[in-house]
Amino acid sequence: VNLVQHLKDGAIDHDKLKKTITVAMRMLDNVIDINYYAVKKARDSNLRHRPVGLGLMGFQDCLYQLRIPYASTEAVEFADRSMEAICYYAYWASADLAAERGRYSSYRGSLWDRGILPQDTLDLLAQARGGAQYVEVDRSATMDWSALRAHIAEHGMRNSNCVAIAPT
């Protein structure tokens, strides 16, 4: 997702971002079925778990356009809010695809199935490290995660993974 193309009047255009991500998730899910797999094990794994990795580009361009210094608290805040929106819309789109096309076959018993979303794993990490003081992360939210949880509980997920950090 080219994030800078989703700015409008100094903010993220959520309607446009949601539409873009909905189309992108459908396209990424399609790739799993039409891809050539040189290794049977890779094919079987992808068809079973249906992982995709939606990412973003243009983050620094957004900061420039919004006149936010790169090494600032405002930049971190923008990163948090923009990635929250991208993840939210990607997870919602995957649940929509599950309603239409079915859940990925290893969904039963997964974290998604148990109502544990990726941000909830911070609590699991804190427990494993011996307390929340060892995981200093902003956990505030602006999206309606309760509605998304209900949507996933009803329809499941089409994809075991939805977002990724680009290796470049």
Side-chain angles (χ1 to χ4, degrees):
V1 175
N2 187 348
L3 194 57
V4 76
Q5 295 299 316
H6 294 83
L7 290 182
K8 182 179 179 182
D9 301 324
I12 294 173
D13 181 343
H14 282 265
D15 291 334
K16 184 176 181 182
L17 185 62
K18 181 179 180 179
K19 287 177 189 174
T20 297
I21 290 172
T22 299
V23 170
M25 288 296 292
R26 179 174 294 275
M27 291 169 53
L28 288 168
D29 188 63
N30 288 344
V31 168
I32 294 167
D33 295 318
I34 64 174
N35 198 23
Y36 168 74
Y37 298 96
V39 179
K40 182 183 182 318
K41 190 173 184 177
R43 179 185 185 280
D44 293 346
S45 178
N46 275 2
L47 291 174
R48 183 166 191 244
H49 307 295
R50 305 194 69 79
V52 299
L54 181 73
L56 80 131
M57 63 186 228
F59 177 78
Q60 192 280 333
D61 296 328
C62 288
L63 296 180
Y64 177 79
Q65 202 169 83
L66 296 171
R67 299 290 197 236
I68 298 173
Y70 191 82
S72 69
T73 303
E74 291 172 286
V76 173
E77 175 68 21
F78 181 76
D80 283 349
R81 295 301 155 236
S82 58
M83 284 310 305
E84 178 188 5
I86 289 169
C87 291
Y88 183 90
Y89 297 132
Y91 304 157
W92 195 284
S94 184
D96 283 348
L97 286 169
E100 177 187 332
R101 298 176 170 180
R103 299 171 178 173
Y104 66 94
S105 65
S106 61
Y107 176 80
R108 183 77 52 218
S110 69
L111 293 176
W112 296 109
D113 185 35
R114 294 183 294 168
I116 300 171
L117 275 57
Q119 65 267 32
D120 302 329
T121 63
L122 291 171
D123 294 330
L124 301 176
L125 178 62
Q127 288 173 358
R129 289 185 176 175
Q133 70 272 20
Y134 300 111
V135 182
E136 296 181 27
V137 177
D138 177 9
R139 297 181 190 208
S140 62
T142 60
M143 309 296 286
D144 186 356
W145 290 94
S146 295
L148 178 59
R149 286 176 193 281
H151 191 60
I152 292 170
E154 181 179 352
H155 301 291
M157 292 288 283
R158 178 71 174 165
N159 313 96
S160 62
N161 298 323
C162 296
V163 295
I165 297 172
T168 56

